[in-house]
Amino acid sequence: MASSAYTFLSFVFYTIFLSFGSYKAEARRFNDISSLVSEGLFDSIFLHKDNNACPAKGFYTYNSFIQASRCFPQFGRTGSSITRKREVAAFLAQISHETTGGWATAPDGPFAWGLCFKEEVTPQSNYCDSSNTQWPCSPGKSYKGRGPIQLSWNYNYGPAGKALGFDGLNNPDMVSNNSLIAFKTALWFWMTEQNPKPSCHNVMIGKYKPTAADVIANRTAGYGLVTNIINGGLECGIPNDGRANDRIGFFQRYATLFNVSTGSNLDCEHQKSF
């Protein structure tokens, strides 16, 4: 009897152990960004990223996106399910505008061509701010737009490289040569506060707290403020700006695919830039 009882208890504890292991695995899966963005959804969002016409064909892979997101555990994993989905949709919309290959009459519409480019094609300069001595430019290097967020300027390449473990100042081409690094730089920019700018992440999850200067500048929370953070100097404070509207178009399409609303304050036409 003792032997039978021991065998029974061993079986019970083994079953509990297996169940707990399965629970932990399921919890990890739920907390992973892949629980929000399946490969099928990723492909339906970026319908034409691997089109022969896109210079970035084959570069922006689903696996690289998922792996990069795991380095930023708060991304898409803060707040309610709606908040999480809306943040991811907003991020994917912004990087789509930055890398779009679409046009008004493009197949499947202008908002199906995100992640078509991996670097700026005709940069207007080498994007070197020589007055920034903290992140000095390396001779002969260009800090033009690269990667999903089109990371630009030495003062972004330097700290991004330091945070992510590559030499952004001496090897900026890494961002357009390594898919994982490329996605990491986009997420780094999204998640990092750059005073006086809040992080895009905090704006989308409802943690943005406007300063007195923000209130005066009408920098209200919403997708439009994210656009202001990314490129407000060129796109905000302008009525019906086509570039800002393009960003909104991507967001509206992706929010529909995620089955969430976009929220209010989509544009930044009444906001002053930072």
Side-chain angles (χ1 to χ4, degrees):
M1 288 292 292
S3 177
S4 296
Y6 176 79
T7 300
F8 175 73
L9 288 174
S10 297
F11 173 76
V12 170
F13 284 123
Y14 180 68
T15 302
I16 292 173
F17 173 77
L18 288 179
S19 298
F20 183 65
S22 297
Y23 171 78
K24 289 200 297 182
E26 180 63 19
R28 285 194 299 269
R29 186 200 69 79
F30 178 78
N31 287 325
D32 192 85
I33 204 71
S34 61
S35 67
L36 295 182
V37 187
S38 66
E39 188 166 6
L41 177 57
F42 188 81
D43 290 342
S44 67
I45 288 172
F46 300 110
L47 283 173
H48 296 285
K49 71 181 180 66
D50 295 324
N51 188 284
N52 286 331
C54 288
K57 177 183 177 181
F59 182 70
Y60 295 114
T61 67
Y62 173 73
N63 286 337
S64 290
F65 168 65
I66 297 299
Q67 289 180 43
S69 74
R70 289 171 181 160
C71 297
F72 299 87
Q74 298 304 309
F75 172 69
R77 293 188 277 281
T78 306
S80 68
S81 175
I82 291 174
T83 298
R84 294 165 64 214
K85 291 178 180 179
R86 185 180 291 133
E87 181 192 6
V88 176
F91 170 77
L92 296 178
Q94 290 287 354
I95 66 172
S96 292
H97 168 79
E98 293 292 336
T99 58
T100 185
W103 64 100
T105 59
D108 299 305
F111 308 120
W113 288 76
L115 298 185
C116 188
F117 288 87
K118 61 180 181 176
E119 60 186 345
E120 192 174 355
V121 176
T122 54
Q124 301 301 304
S125 71
N126 63 359
Y127 293 93
C128 170
D129 179 1
S130 57
S131 68
N132 190 300
T133 56
Q134 182 179 5
W135 305 106
C137 302
S138 182
K141 298 298 182 181
S142 170
Y143 303 102
K144 66 179 181 178
R146 295 182 180 89
I149 204 75
Q150 290 292 278
L151 191 74
S152 306
W153 295 100
N154 51 308
Y155 51 73
N156 282 318
Y157 274 90
K162 181 178 180 180
L164 301 174
F166 74 98
D167 190 344
L169 293 177
N170 290 309
N171 191 13
D173 288 322
M174 178 73 76
V175 181
S176 55
N177 291 334
N178 184 303
S179 179
L180 181 58
I181 290 294
F183 274 118
K184 283 183 178 181
T185 61
L187 286 162
W188 170 84
F189 187 92
W190 184 266
M191 301 297 296
T192 304
E193 177 181 328
Q194 299 186 43
N195 192 47
K197 297 180 180 181
S199 70
C200 300
H201 169 71
N202 278 346
V203 170
M204 291 308 301
I205 66 169
K207 288 190 175 181
Y208 163 63
K209 297 185 184 301
T211 64
D214 290 326
V215 173
I216 293 172
N218 198 36
R219 292 193 282 261
T220 52
Y223 186 74
L225 182 56
V226 172
T227 296
N228 197 338
I229 293 168
I230 294 173
N231 203 32
L234 295 178
E235 299 178 27
C236 295
I238 304 171
N240 201 33
D241 184 79
R243 296 160 296 186
N245 288 341
D246 189 69
R247 295 178 191 271
I248 294 170
F250 277 110
F251 187 36
Q252 289 172 330
R253 175 174 178 258
Y254 296 176
T256 299
L257 290 173
F258 277 95
N259 196 29
V260 294
S261 66
T262 59
S264 57
N265 301 320
L266 295 182
D267 64 69
C268 60
E269 65 178 64
H270 300 298
Q271 298 181 22
K272 290 184 179 179
S273 62
F274 287 93

